[in-house]
């Protein structure tokens, strides 16, 4: 995998340069037989080989970096395209939710967050369209709390694909709205909600 041409060239250049510049008499191409001259020549050759390895690794690292940069650019472009598609889909969903005149909500069982459509916020007078799942349940009428929580827990922990329940939900002005809830339960491959 390593370029042997570069190593060979480095060794040859090292020998020639070492002989010409560092071995007495300098500036000639004549190798003396003294032990010191041979050691210097070997050290200089080893330095040339080491530099060849370093340069080759730097070239490979630069090439990998360029490939990574190209891959990053492709991935970033794809991500931006997907984000644009998602924004368009979300806008279509928001428009459809408003058109059917139904409150659409979502409860994330991993993050314990609940969110609902703009109509939900307007219908119940809530200023935000997101809260914790516990806050959502806290707005359920006290007489319905145990039944609704138990029904929800059974649906989520079972293998149901839907949860249907009727209860009263408190508006921001303190009045109660009758809610007929029809929910789909999304499950992962292992069946967890």
């Amino acid at each position: 995998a390593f370029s042997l041409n570069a190593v060979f060239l480095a060794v040859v250049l090292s020998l020639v340069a070492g002989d010409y510049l560092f071995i007495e008499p300098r500036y000639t191409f004549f190798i003396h037989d003294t032990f010191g001259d041979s050691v210097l020549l070997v050290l200089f050759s080893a330095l040339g080989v080491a530099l060849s390895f370093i340069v080759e690794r730097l070239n490979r690292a630069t090439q990998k970096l360029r490939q990574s940069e190209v891959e990053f650019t492709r991935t970033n472009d794809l991500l931006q395209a997907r984000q644009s598609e998602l924004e368009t889909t979300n806008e279509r969903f928001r428009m459809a939710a408003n058109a059917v005149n139904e409150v659409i909500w979502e409860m994330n069982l991993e993050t314990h967050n609940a969110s609902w459509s703009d109509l939900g916020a307007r219908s119940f007078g809530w200023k935000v369209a997101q809260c914790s799942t516990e806050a959502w349940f806290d707005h359920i009428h006290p007489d319905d709390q145990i039944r609704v929580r138990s029904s929800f827990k059974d649906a989520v922990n079972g293998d149901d694909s839907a949860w249907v329940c009727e209860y009263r939900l408190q508006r921001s002005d303190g009045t109660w709205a009758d809610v007929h809830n029809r929910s789909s339960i999304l499950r992962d491959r292992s069946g967890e909600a």
Side-chain angles (χ1 to χ4, degrees), residues 101-122:
N101 203 25
E102 294 278 337
V103 174
I104 299 174
W105 63 279
E106 174 185 25
M107 188 175 292
N108 187 319
L109 299 175
E110 291 178 350
T111 65
H112 304 288
N113 287 330
S115 57
W116 50 91
S117 62
D118 294 340
L119 180 62
R122 288 193 310 270

Side-chain angles (χ1 to χ4, degrees), residues 23 31-46:
I23 298 175
I31 299 178
H32 293 278
D33 288 337
T34 62
F35 181 72
D37 291 345
S38 299
V39 169
L40 282 175
L41 197 55
V42 168
L43 288 175
F44 198 77
S45 298

Side-chain angles (χ1 to χ4, degrees), residues 60-115:
R60 285 184 186 173
T62 302
Q63 190 176 25
K64 283 184 180 180
L65 189 60
R66 285 187 184 130
Q67 289 173 345
S68 296
E69 184 179 358
V70 167
E71 195 62 35
F72 174 78
T73 302
R74 284 185 196 143
T75 302
N76 192 39
D77 290 347
L78 183 62
L79 195 59
Q80 287 178 349
R82 297 286 188 227
Q83 184 175 358
S84 178
E85 289 173 15
L86 183 60
E87 288 170 2
T88 301
T89 301
N90 283 342
E91 181 61 21
R92 286 180 179 158
F93 174 76
R94 187 187 65 73
M95 292 171 65
N98 287 336
V100 297
N101 203 25
E102 294 278 337
V103 174
I104 299 174
W105 63 279
E106 174 185 25
M107 188 175 292
N108 187 319
L109 299 175
E110 291 178 350
T111 65
H112 304 288
N113 287 330
S115 57

Side-chain angles (χ1 to χ4, degrees), residues 3-193:
S3 174
L4 291 178
N5 292 337
V7 173
F8 179 73
L9 182 62
V11 170
V12 169
L13 289 176
S14 297
L15 290 171
V16 171
D19 178 40
Y20 187 76
L21 298 173
F22 298 108
I23 298 175
E24 292 290 336
R26 289 188 179 102
Y27 313 115
T28 65
F29 291 106
F30 180 73
I31 299 178
H32 293 278
D33 288 337
T34 62
F35 181 72
D37 291 345
S38 299
V39 169
L40 282 175
L41 197 55
V42 168
L43 288 175
F44 198 77
S45 298
L47 178 64
V49 170
L51 284 174
S52 296
F53 278 105
I54 291 170
V55 167
E56 184 70 22
R57 287 195 169 225
L58 283 174
N59 286 338
R60 285 184 186 173
T62 302
Q63 190 176 25
K64 283 184 180 180
L65 189 60
R66 285 187 184 130
Q67 289 173 345
S68 296
E69 184 179 358
V70 167
E71 195 62 35
F72 174 78
T73 302
R74 284 185 196 143
T75 302
N76 192 39
D77 290 347
L78 183 62
L79 195 59
Q80 287 178 349
R82 297 286 188 227
Q83 184 175 358
S84 178
E85 289 173 15
L86 183 60
E87 288 170 2
T88 301
T89 301
N90 283 342
E91 181 61 21
R92 286 180 179 158
F93 174 76
R94 187 187 65 73
M95 292 171 65
N98 287 336
V100 297
N101 203 25
E102 294 278 337
V103 174
I104 299 174
W105 63 279
E106 174 185 25
M107 188 175 292
N108 187 319
L109 299 175
E110 291 178 350
T111 65
H112 304 288
N113 287 330
S115 57
W116 50 91
S117 62
D118 294 340
L119 180 62
R122 288 193 310 270
S123 297
F124 296 105
W126 298 333
K127 295 190 186 228
V128 294
Q130 192 167 15
C131 69
S132 70
T133 55
E134 194 57 37
W136 176 278
F137 281 116
D138 287 345
H139 283 86
I140 294 174
H141 193 280
D143 294 343
D144 298 336
Q145 281 277 336
I146 294 174
R147 177 180 54 81
V148 172
R149 285 179 185 265
S150 176
S151 171
F152 180 78
K153 184 178 177 182
D154 290 346
V156 166
N157 292 334
D159 57 358
D160 296 339
S161 61
W163 175 54
V164 178
C165 190
E166 292 185 8
Y167 53 90
R168 292 165 285 180
L169 193 65
Q170 190 175 34
R171 294 184 181 103
S172 63
D173 64 4
T175 60
W176 296 96
D178 290 321
V179 173
H180 177 76
N181 187 92
R182 295 181 314 266
S183 302
S184 294
I185 300 172
L186 300 177
R187 298 187 180 277
D188 63 17
R189 290 180 182 174
S190 66
E192 291 292 315

